[in-house]
Amino acid sequence: AAPNAPGSLHDAATECVVSALIRAEDYQTHQALAMNLQTAVYQLHGAFNHAVAMEDMDKIFVELAESFIEKLVNDGSDDPNSLGSIHTLELLLLLAGHHDYSLIEMTFNIWYRLSEGLFSFEDDQHIEKFKPYVQRYLAALYRHCRYDTEEEGIPDRDGDFADFRLKVVETVRDVVFVVGTESCVTSMYNMLKTCSQSGTWDEAEAALFIISTVISNIIPEENNVIPELVQAIVTLPMTSHPALLLTSVGLVGFVEYVYKVTSLNIRKSSGVVAATCCSSGVCCACC
């Protein structure tokens, strides 16, 4: 439908395409339909920024990926004319790049199915094809899970955004093996260092939040980032935002547990963080 067409026409066209994609999921039976639909949907890539206001293309992109996800996982093809084309992930990342976090949330199940399928592969070269896309997905999740910079005090633990952050934890854990946990932690730690120089508290908190979701996969003796990370946390100013301190408490508490098990002692560091948080009134929020 044309951009200036009535909204009802866009809705009807969207539902028609989605229904066709559902039928095309059996692509072996409906191969011609599947190929024509994929070609047509790929052509919508450039029109997405105009269409999001009408909320009609997100469903189409998601349904395309849902319908052909098995073929995509198995093939990971660079050929845009293949039903297993990895270009489909570009459409998901287009949704992930939009400011409305509900769009990236629509894709969570697809990334789960992607990771589930790739986990059964023993071919590292095949999995490597998907690594750049998962890296961009994780970067998008980092941006979306940031609190409002103007937020004061401890953010509400209930509500839609709190639920979204809980779902982010699950999807990060689903896909992180594709890029490697250490790579993810290092990337977020580098983000944290940048934030400490020129960023905002919510950027730093989001980096620590992502790290906290996967740090249990790290073997402390084999990772040089963790000691630096702990040091960065314990040197946070006492005037840091309470939400940043609260996330830091949880992260350092977990690291302390792991390090005690491995005979590495960071109790002194943990005590510094706890004292800082108590002086900022964060301890009450932990109860």
Side-chain angles (χ1 to χ4, degrees), residues 189-247:
Y189 176 59
N190 289 335
M191 193 76 70
L192 180 66
K193 289 192 292 185
T194 300
C195 295
S196 66
Q197 297 174 356
S198 58
T200 55
W201 72 266
D202 54 294
E203 293 174 323
E205 191 279 336
L208 291 176
F209 175 74
I210 296 295
I211 290 173
S212 69
T213 67
V214 298
I215 199 168
S216 60
N217 297 338
I218 293 287
I219 300 175
E221 297 95 327
E222 298 179 3
N223 185 274
N224 296 324
V225 171
I226 291 181
E228 295 180 21
L229 173 63
V230 172
Q231 184 60 33
I233 291 175
V234 300
T235 55
L236 286 172
M238 294 181 66
T239 55
S240 296
H241 193 282
L244 175 58
L245 293 175
L246 185 60
T247 300

Side-chain angles (χ1 to χ4, degrees), residues 89-90 93-94 96 104 111 130-143 179:
L89 297 181
E90 290 287 356
L93 291 171
L94 199 60
I104 193 173
W111 291 102
F130 297 86
K131 186 174 180 179
Y133 298 93
V134 173
Q135 287 174 329
R136 290 164 59 192
Y137 177 57
L138 290 171
L141 290 170
Y142 158 77
R143 292 191 299 271
V179 301

